[in-house]
Amino acid sequence: MKDKNKEFEAFVREEVQQFSSRPSDNLWDSISQQMAPDYADAAGGEFAPVDGSAIPDAGLLNWIFQNINLNLVGMITLGSLTLTVGTLLFINGTGKASLAEANSTDASQTEIEELAVLPPSALNDPMPDPLPSQNKTIYFPFDSTELPQLPEEDLENTLLPDENPEFLFDFEAEEDNPKEQREAQNDSGENLPIPCSGDVNIGDRIGQFKTELVQLLREDRLITSNDYKIRLFMEETGFSIENEKIESDVSYKYTQLLSKYNIVPCENRIAQITPKYVAIGDLREEGFRGQLRGDIDLQDLGLQDESLRINGEGTVNGNQQAGKKGALILYKEEKRSDFDDMKKELERQGLKVTSSSFNEDDGLITMVKLHFQHPRGLDFSLRGRNFDVLELKILKGDNGQLNGFSYRFNKEKVKNILLTTTGSISRTF
Amino acid sequence: MQEISKNIDLKACLAGNRKEQFRLYEKYKVRCFGICLRYARNHQEAEDILQEGFLKVFKVLHQYSGKGSFEGWLRSIMVRTALMHIRKYRAKEMLTVELDEIKINKIPDPDMIKRQKNGDHIIYLIQQLPVLYQSIFNLRAIEEYSFKEIGELLNMNETTVRSYYFRARKALQKSYSELRIEQQ
């Protein structure tokens, strides 16, 4: 089977083995300078082998030196002992040493008495706060499920090939910007953004939340027509829409609303609503993460390409749909084996694929067809030609029972197929 | 711990014997440099990664159990060092990924095409990819990691990884074809 993509990958693997570039000759010098010292090198290279014949035998001369040294040690010890005993006898005889001892004791006593002059309460009082201006507690909600990144040193010490560390590309942790760091240090803490501590998920109450939010926004004339599109930033510093802060005299209502739904305001947390959908969640570096309901155009969330950015779980009418999370995805660049894997996974999850076909040309899928059947009546055929991506997702009820599946070609709307559906769909792009 | 060849004794390397460490470096430097070049933007950055990589290798050499290929272990360290380097020094580039189009610059010096081997061209083209595409392409196409493994390694969604990979491969295929036309 012709597979240009596979050939290209193999070609690249082979070619990169044949490159001719080499590192600079002096690179080793830099490496060795940064390594722990080699004691062999420090001694002038390898440890030189010791030549036993070069060492003279221990003869008479050596014996004399050793004995003289021992005698010398003995004499010094005896002299020191004599001198010490003599000094002690002399001091006891004059009595001056006792006077000196008494004076010394008085001096110590004086110091203790002076301390005792302080009021007893002073000893029990707590130490004064050296930084009285920092007595305000800043609370950063922290979700223990989101573990902080390990320090660099720890990573280096635990760098094992078999591990799958999840530390890479943690942009926030690695922003090496001294200016920002200085600013952060100078900040009293009051203006520091509170990081979001977890995902927003209010379950089925999302619809009610939207209704109440729209009501508030209408009351405040922030929604004035039926064709609205609002992105409300719900941050700890306040609420804003399109960089316009909601006045504090009305913002308490929004605070109450969030409180009712246990939504904590934090940095880049938004609620975005149009008549068609509601999205609540966080705008993060990697994309939007949160809860969605309705017919949503992900580009509305500022996401240029949903397949690259979306991380959220989508819900439409209470059913899970073909969102990115948990969806089976087939890109046009993929192979027949990927298609087979998709079928296997569908069957593993309880959906019966009674027949299928797969065509490709020049390493790109040109057509796939899947025919689903189920004893409850499902008899549905799905065919797609020249699509970029096909997503399928199993729909299950709360009890885990199979309800059907959803499919989506490219960025089209998601279609739900229940276990009682009959028919066929054929899409050409 | 084992001898990886008649000339290199890992025990001696571990004990800090500079000569043995140098031999090990000499034996693997070219292959490791190839890895580093693929993750770097240029020769200089690749040397930095190679240096960091070998320092790490000698630091954690005691963790090599002797089971499996030493070269595989070494490669793995180099790859991870390269990723760490990117994370540390090129994090901002990762935030400005062009999603719609990957532009690969042509090789600036036409004589370079004649002088160098195909492997150099490919590496050059890989270096032109935006950093995240570059890393993902390397990990998948060359190191042959699964999408799942790459996702775990880069802390990314598996689907996103796949999408990045296909785009990177497509861009490389296109630019390599163009390069070949220029060569002819």
Side-chain angles (χ1 to χ4, degrees):
Chain A
M1 188 173 60
K2 192 179 174 184
D3 187 341
K4 283 198 170 180
N5 291 326
K6 208 170 179 180
E7 280 176 17
F8 181 71
E9 287 169 6
F11 167 76
V12 170
R13 271 195 293 278
E14 194 178 318
E15 290 298 314
V16 296
Q17 306 301 327
Q18 296 175 12
F19 70 99
S20 56
S21 300
R22 287 169 173 272
S24 310
D25 291 337
N26 58 357
L27 189 66
W28 171 252
D29 296 335
S30 314
I31 294 171
S32 59
Q33 276 170 15
Q34 291 184 50
M35 285 197 291
D38 180 353
Y39 296 107
D41 274 352
E46 293 285 354
F47 283 118
V50 179
D51 183 1
S53 62
I55 302 171
D57 289 336
L60 178 65
L61 196 61
N62 196 27
W63 182 90
I64 292 168
F65 278 119
Q66 283 180 14
N67 281 281
I68 285 174
N69 287 341
L70 281 173
N71 287 340
L72 191 62
V73 169
M75 286 164 67
I76 290 169
T77 310
L78 189 63
S80 304
L81 191 64
T82 310
L83 192 64
T84 308
V85 171
T87 307
L88 285 172
L89 287 172
F90 174 77
I91 289 169
N92 284 336
T94 58
K96 286 181 181 174
S98 300
L99 183 62
E101 276 173 24
N103 288 339
S104 168
T105 307
D106 285 350
S108 304
Q109 193 70 32
T110 306
E111 283 174 14
I112 291 167
E113 283 168 3
E114 283 173 0
L115 278 174
V117 170
L118 288 168
S121 61
L123 297 172
N124 299 325
D125 283 346
M127 290 291 285
D129 187 349
L131 297 168
S133 61
Q134 293 184 355
N135 57 0
K136 185 176 178 181
T137 304
I138 307 294
Y139 174 64
F140 289 85
F142 180 76
D143 185 347
S144 60
T145 57
E146 291 181 5
L147 294 173
Q149 303 297 314
L150 284 169
E152 198 84 14
E153 293 78 10
D154 289 354
L155 294 175
E156 286 179 358
N157 292 333
T158 54
L159 192 72
L160 289 169
D162 294 331
E163 288 177 355
N164 284 320
E166 292 189 358
F167 51 77
L168 293 166
F169 309 131
D170 174 32
F171 311 119
E172 291 175 5
E174 278 300 324
E175 286 286 342
D176 188 15
N177 188 335
K179 190 184 170 197
E180 284 177 11
Q181 285 171 8
R182 279 199 302 278
E183 284 170 359
Q185 283 164 5
N186 291 336
D187 199 306
S188 64
E190 289 176 352
N191 296 322
L192 287 175
I194 296 177
C196 297
S197 63
D199 296 341
V200 176
N201 191 343
I202 56 175
D204 288 341
R205 298 194 300 158
I206 189 170
Q208 182 62 26
F209 173 80
K210 181 187 174 185
T211 307
E212 292 184 36
L213 179 60
V214 169
Q215 195 179 338
L216 287 182
L217 292 166
R218 281 191 192 281
E219 281 173 13
D220 295 330
R221 297 199 165 275
L222 294 166
I223 289 179
T224 51
S225 76
N226 289 332
D227 184 23
Y228 57 87
K229 181 178 164 187
I230 297 283
R231 175 180 288 189
L232 172 70
F233 274 88
M234 309 178 294
E235 301 189 300
E236 76 288 351
T237 49
F239 298 87
S240 60
I241 296 171
E242 290 178 2
N243 291 328
E244 296 250 342
K245 279 213 164 192
I246 294 179
E247 296 297 326
S248 56
D249 54 339
V250 292
S251 66
Y252 73 93
K253 291 186 292 184
Y254 298 90
T255 308
Q256 284 177 340
L257 178 67
L258 294 197
S259 176
K260 181 179 172 184
Y261 288 90
N262 291 326
I263 299 170
V264 180
C266 60
E267 194 181 17
N268 287 329
R269 179 154 285 176
I270 63 158
Q272 186 156 317
I273 49 171
T274 71
K276 289 184 177 176
Y277 69 81
V278 53
I280 324 168
D282 306 325
L283 294 174
R284 299 183 184 176
E285 299 288 7
E286 70 271 21
F288 174 81
R289 189 171 182 88
Q291 195 180 1
L292 315 171
R293 177 174 285 188
D295 182 9
I296 189 165
D297 179 354
L298 293 167
Q299 290 185 351
D300 278 359
L301 287 171
L303 309 174
Q304 292 172 4
D305 184 329
E306 57 178 292
S307 64
L308 296 179
R309 290 290 193 155
I310 189 71
N311 267 326
E313 185 89 35
T315 55
V316 171
N317 299 325
N319 284 328
Q320 284 191 323
Q321 63 162 8
K324 289 295 170 184
K325 202 166 181 177
L328 302 168
I329 299 168
L330 189 70
Y331 290 92
K332 67 177 176 184
E333 294 91 345
E334 295 198 83
K335 307 175 187 67
R336 180 182 287 273
S337 59
D338 298 308
F339 177 62
D340 292 338
D341 288 346
M342 180 186 242
K343 282 192 300 178
K344 280 180 198 165
E345 184 59 22
L346 287 168
E347 296 209 328
R348 196 185 69 76
Q349 297 199 35
L351 205 61
K352 192 165 186 182
V353 180
T354 51
S355 67
S356 65
S357 59
F358 176 94
N359 290 339
E360 65 171 350
D361 181 34
D362 204 15
L364 299 175
I365 297 173
T366 53
M367 191 278 290
V368 293
K369 186 178 175 186
L370 290 159
H371 190 185
F372 302 93
Q373 286 184 324
H374 194 272
R376 282 178 60 190
L378 174 69
D379 188 359
F380 185 79
S381 175
L382 172 71
R383 186 167 64 177
R385 293 178 191 273
N386 301 325
F387 58 85
D388 287 329
V389 58
L390 166 63
E391 295 172 49
L392 293 170
K393 190 164 183 177
I394 297 291
L395 301 176
K396 289 187 174 175
D398 293 339
N399 54 2
Q401 190 185 358
L402 182 67
N403 282 342
F405 68 96
S406 64
Y407 71 88
R408 171 161 67 173
F409 286 108
N410 300 346
K411 292 178 183 175
E412 290 192 326
K413 280 179 73 172
V414 172
K415 298 281 192 312
N416 290 344
I417 304 297
L418 303 178
L419 290 182
T420 50
T421 306
T422 58
S424 66
I425 179 82
S426 179
R427 300 282 291 119
T428 301
F429 299 91
Chain B
M1 198 61 69
Q2 62 183 17
E3 283 191 11
I4 50 178
S5 79
K6 285 183 182 177
N7 296 324
I8 302 168
D9 181 359
L10 285 185
K11 275 186 184 172
C13 289
L14 190 55
N17 183 310
R18 195 67 89 236
K19 277 191 177 176
E20 283 303 306
Q21 289 174 337
F22 178 66
R23 284 185 193 139
L24 188 143
Y25 169 78
E26 278 293 306
K27 182 176 167 69
Y28 292 106
K29 71 176 182 186
V30 176
R31 270 167 281 182
C32 289
F33 191 55
I35 296 169
C36 300
L37 274 171
R38 292 200 304 272
Y39 288 87
R41 272 171 304 197
N42 50 41
H43 197 94
Q44 182 57 49
E45 190 179 23
E47 287 196 347
D48 292 344
I49 297 170
L50 186 71
Q51 181 171 330
E52 287 171 36
F54 268 104
L55 284 169
K56 198 157 288 173
V57 164
F58 292 125
K59 190 174 177 183
V60 300
L61 195 56
H62 62 281
Q63 293 180 6
Y64 173 59
S65 62
K67 293 172 189 169
S69 143
F70 177 77
E71 190 175 338
W73 182 82
L74 188 65
R75 286 174 68 94
S76 171
I77 297 277
M78 285 295 161
V79 167
R80 281 159 192 268
T81 307
L83 294 175
M84 293 278 287
H85 181 93
I86 291 167
R87 174 191 171 226
K88 193 169 180 180
Y89 297 105
R90 295 169 71 186
K92 281 185 182 165
E93 283 179 52
M94 302 189 67
L95 298 175
T96 54
V97 176
E98 290 176 19
L99 299 172
D100 297 330
E101 192 181 353
I102 305 170
K103 287 177 185 169
I104 295 185
N105 296 323
K106 298 278 162 47
I107 292 176
D109 176 8
D111 290 340
M112 195 174 155
I113 300 174
K114 293 172 190 167
R115 280 201 311 269
Q116 292 185 321
K117 294 179 183 175
N118 271 342
D120 297 298
H121 300 153
I122 290 284
I123 287 177
Y124 177 82
L125 295 176
I126 292 171
Q127 286 177 342
Q128 304 307 305
L129 288 168
V131 62
L132 201 52
Y133 290 88
Q134 181 187 10
S135 302
I136 290 171
F137 181 80
N138 282 324
L139 290 166
R140 173 67 180 175
I142 300 166
E143 320 300 342
E144 300 187 73
Y145 283 57
S146 71
F147 288 122
K148 191 179 175 191
E149 286 172 321
I150 298 169
E152 287 170 352
L153 197 60
L154 304 185
N155 202 10
M156 286 171 72
N157 184 316
E158 188 183 335
T159 309
T160 311
V161 172
R162 287 157 81 98
S163 178
Y164 272 56
Y165 175 70
F166 291 134
R167 282 161 184 250
R169 187 178 65 189
K170 191 175 172 184
L172 275 178
Q173 280 170 320
K174 184 168 172 256
S175 53
Y176 188 70
S177 317
E178 288 170 1
L179 187 67
R180 284 177 70 186
I181 292 167
E182 281 182 25
Q183 279 178 301
Q184 288 162 5

